[in-house]
Amino acid sequence: MAFTFSPDHVDRAREAAAASLAEGGVPIGAALVVDGELVAVGHNQRVQHGDPTAHGEIDCLRNAGRMRSYADAVMITTLAPCAMCTGAIIQFGIRRVVVGEAQTFSGELGLLRSRGVDVVVLDDPACRDLMEQFQQRYPEVWAEDIGEVL
């Protein structure tokens, strides 16, 4: 089992997050890596598609398509995964998640860890900056994205 990823993979997830923000969407990007190879990239498209399930990690999994096993996959995400995305990670047996940042949203890191997922938090300032920009500009959209009412 090779849980390898590179800074380039993190860059791809961050670029996807920035693309979402440029489209007026929530700036969360994700990349799926298997055996050190980039399999798929996705980003939150909930606003763009009017789809409440189109979170970054889910979009990335959709772009990856069916896989026999995700046991050797690494999910890289720019923000700590929410409950829905955490559920998908657990459901498919992804055993390592690399998180760009967890300061603007703490997500479900405890649940991931309690289910045996290896969680690495990078505390990446660029990921944090993207989310802070979005949360300041679109607080009502952010609240909607995480299931809160303002």
Side-chain angles (χ1 to χ4, degrees):
M1 146 175 70
F3 290 134
T4 59
F5 68 96
S6 75
D8 182 55
H9 298 136
V10 177
D11 290 345
R12 294 292 306 276
R14 194 182 312 104
E15 290 164 4
S20 186
L21 182 60
E23 296 168 358
V26 183
I28 301 170
L32 190 69
V33 177
V34 177
D35 293 327
E37 297 295 321
L38 182 67
V39 173
V41 175
H43 63 81
N44 188 302
Q45 297 193 57
R46 197 182 59 76
V47 172
Q48 296 92 317
H49 294 291
D51 178 353
T53 66
H55 284 206
E57 298 89 341
I58 302 299
D59 186 55
C60 183
L61 288 168
R62 286 177 180 151
N63 291 337
R66 290 178 58 194
M67 294 174 60
R68 184 170 173 83
S69 171
Y70 297 83
D72 293 332
V74 177
M75 174 64 77
I76 300 167
T77 179
T78 58
L79 185 66
C82 71
M84 179 177 65
C85 296
T86 292
I89 290 163
I90 292 168
Q91 175 70 28
F92 293 113
I94 296 171
R95 297 189 288 195
R96 174 174 271 183
V97 175
V98 176
V99 177
E101 67 99 1
Q103 291 181 17
T104 61
F105 179 71
S106 59
E108 297 292 337
L109 300 183
L111 178 55
L112 286 169
R113 289 180 176 124
S114 78
R115 296 298 294 266
V117 177
D118 179 36
V119 176
V120 177
V121 180
L122 302 176
D123 289 324
D124 182 85
C127 291
R128 187 173 50 255
D129 183 55
L130 282 169
M131 277 309 300
E132 286 174 347
Q133 286 179 49
F134 178 78
Q135 289 170 336
Q136 289 169 5
R137 278 196 253 168
Y138 307 103
E140 61 288 333
V141 177
W142 173 240
E144 180 185 320
D145 194 66
I146 58 173
E148 294 181 355
V149 177
L150 289 183

